Amino acid sequence: MSVETAAGVWADVVGQPEVVATLDRAVREPAAMTHAWLFTGPPGSGRSTAARAFAAALQCPQHGCGTCRECRTVLDGSHADLTVLTTQGLSIQVKDARELARVAQHSPSVGPWQVILVEDADRLTERAADALLKALEEPVPRTVWLLCAPSLEDVIITIRSRSRHVRLRTPSVDAVADLLERRDGVPRSQGLLAAHAAQSHVGLAKRLANDEAARGRRADTLRLAGSIHSLGDAMRAAEQLDGLAKQESSASASERDATERERLLQQLGADPAARTQPPHVRSQLAALEKEQKTRATRIGRDVIDRSLVDLMSIYRDALVQQTGSPVELINQDHREQVDRLTSRPAESLLGAMDAIGTARERIAANVPPLLALEAMMIALRTERD
């Protein structure tokens, strides 16, 4: 099955013809099916999209038509025989894994398969992975596990050794632009710019194409390149990126946090207006607040990491242009800024990229983001032109 002919539930799995062919064959031929699949690929490659499409095709009487009730309910996450675990925190805890293992023992209620989709299998703690291991070692008939992670190395070996690997690649800029035009009505020229800027990350490309504020924040980040000359500049730039992350995290979490708190109080039969709550309610609220803080931390780190990827891209473009490489520029809509950076020595551009990469590694290793950003910005200082 080629990209051109992919249809039904596979239509949004862009730039992955080999993956679609493998999964479609497994849906149609029982001998090609297995009980556990591991989807890997870089951010934005569509791991979750491919896994959900596969789940829909498995439940569909027509093997993935995309229009029947089974397809629609799987794709929107409401199918009775689909369980999805998408962690909002920094890791998947053992209690969540045990619940999945329990669900895996059930027979499907309305469809041919009991499907369990773990969108962040790389976030399984060692104890959580152990809790899933028996379910993977002793598979239940008609239960299938779909696990998603950036790479094989991100998944604990006992899990990946019991799963069939499906590797997705970064889709082409043209494929992403085609999807934005077909699915979201984004004009072709605008879709191409967004796809380039997002480095073919489908979700981010959609956001950049449709959200002017997101484009503005990205432009602000890119302007940092070459504009940091003093220690004060470095401190202010670090504070700016850290503050942006906290702002986005707070904006995305505030309404959701309040809704979750209200729902929990309703489930516990507590009065939301009460000034004090019984001990058992307070303990549940404390646990919820802890989870919400963890989620906010993850969102903030993700925002910072995306900003650092953007910042690195403009130094990369300057290096590409300086060496005369035929590779396309990521920041085609910021050519003037790329041109200004091109005058800098190659060693300076490489040093800047190395400093940004080091900051990303430090933040991933739980170094406080502001400290990592300050060290990075100091390394990015340049003489005034």
Side-chain angles (χ1 to χ4, degrees):
M1 183 180 295
S2 68
V3 174
E4 289 75 16
T5 60
V9 296
W10 308 112
D12 289 352
V13 186
V14 296
Q16 316 290 343
E18 297 87 357
V19 168
V20 170
T22 296
L23 299 177
D24 185 65
R25 179 168 175 262
V27 170
R28 298 173 185 274
E29 301 178 18
M33 187 60 184
T34 189
H35 74 287
W37 299 75
L38 176 56
F39 295 78
T40 68
S45 59
R47 301 184 301 260
S48 299
T49 300
R52 283 181 181 266
F54 186 37
L58 287 171
Q59 303 291 19
C60 176
Q62 301 176 61
H63 310 304
C65 68
T67 58
C68 69
R69 181 179 181 277
E70 286 75 13
C71 285
R72 294 196 311 273
T73 54
V74 170
L75 293 176
D76 69 20
S78 62
H79 193 283
D81 294 322
L82 172 69
T83 300
V84 180
L85 178 60
T86 305
T87 180
Q88 300 293 338
L90 300 176
S91 61
I92 297 175
Q93 301 302 313
V94 65
K95 62 181 178 65
D96 300 313
R98 286 172 178 163
E99 176 60 19
L100 293 182
R102 185 188 67 78
V103 172
Q105 304 304 309
H106 296 171
S107 298
S109 57
V110 296
W113 292 93
Q114 178 75 250
V115 181
I116 299 176
L117 170 57
V118 182
E119 292 194 341
D120 299 286
D122 54 306
R123 297 182 186 271
L124 284 163
T125 64
E126 188 170 348
R127 288 186 62 210
D130 289 342
L132 291 185
L133 192 55
K134 185 174 182 181
L136 293 174
E137 287 179 330
E138 303 174 6
V140 176
R142 315 313 297 176
T143 290
V144 59
W145 292 81
L146 310 180
L147 313 174
C148 302
S151 71
L152 280 174
E153 291 70 27
D154 291 318
V155 180
I156 294 174
I157 189 170
T158 53
I159 297 294
R160 67 176 187 250
S161 65
R162 289 161 176 81
S163 308
R164 181 173 176 183
H165 183 210
V166 177
R167 185 175 67 85
L168 284 79
R169 61 191 180 192
T170 301
S172 68
V173 167
D174 284 333
V176 175
D178 287 342
L179 175 64
L180 295 179
E181 184 177 27
R182 169 175 54 81
R183 186 189 65 187
D184 304 309
V186 176
R188 175 77 179 173
S189 58
Q190 185 177 343
L192 284 171
L193 283 176
H196 273 294
Q199 301 181 50
S200 291
H201 187 301
V202 177
L204 183 59
K206 178 182 177 180
R207 185 178 181 189
L208 289 174
N210 294 318
D211 187 345
E212 185 176 352
R215 294 194 295 272
R217 286 192 293 270
R218 184 174 187 276
D220 289 342
T221 298
L222 295 178
R223 276 193 285 271
L224 293 174
S227 67
I228 303 170
H229 309 296
S230 66
L231 184 61
D233 291 339
M235 296 298 102
R236 283 189 293 273
E239 188 175 353
Q240 176 185 334
L241 280 187
D242 187 57
L244 173 64
K246 290 177 179 176
Q247 181 182 350
E248 285 212 21
S249 175
S250 176
S252 65
S254 57
E255 184 176 345
R256 179 169 49 188
D257 288 355
T259 301
E260 289 175 346
R261 187 178 192 279
E262 183 179 350
R263 185 185 305 121
L264 177 61
L265 290 173
Q266 289 176 347
Q267 292 172 346
L268 297 174
D271 180 7
R275 296 184 61 180
T276 59
Q277 299 289 353
H280 75 282
V281 175
R282 291 200 300 271
S283 66
Q284 292 285 338
L285 287 174
L288 175 62
E289 289 171 1
K290 182 178 179 180
E291 290 181 7
Q292 290 172 340
K293 287 180 181 178
T294 301
R295 179 173 63 201
T297 299
R298 176 185 172 184
I299 293 172
R301 289 183 182 179
D302 288 346
V303 171
I304 290 174
D305 191 67
R306 186 65 241 176
S307 296
L308 296 184
V309 169
D310 289 336
L311 187 59
M312 185 182 289
S313 73
I314 201 158
Y315 288 103
R316 172 264 190 198
D317 280 353
L319 192 62
V320 165
Q321 190 156 292
Q322 188 181 88
T323 58
S325 172
V327 179
E328 288 187 300
L329 299 185
I330 293 170
N331 300 286
Q332 296 187 5
D333 51 344
H334 293 272
R335 290 296 293 263
E336 290 185 7
Q337 190 173 353
V338 173
D339 290 341
R340 286 196 298 271
L341 287 175
T342 302
S343 63
R344 292 176 55 178
E347 293 81 2
S348 176
L349 298 175
L350 289 169
M353 294 173 68
D354 185 59
I356 296 169
T358 298
R360 295 182 68 196
E361 292 173 359
R362 287 173 174 169
I363 293 172
N366 292 325
V367 171
L370 184 57
L371 291 180
L373 291 174
E374 287 174 346
M376 180 195 77
M377 293 300 181
I378 291 172
L380 295 183
R381 287 179 301 169
T382 61
E383 298 293 332
R384 292 188 183 274
D385 297 332

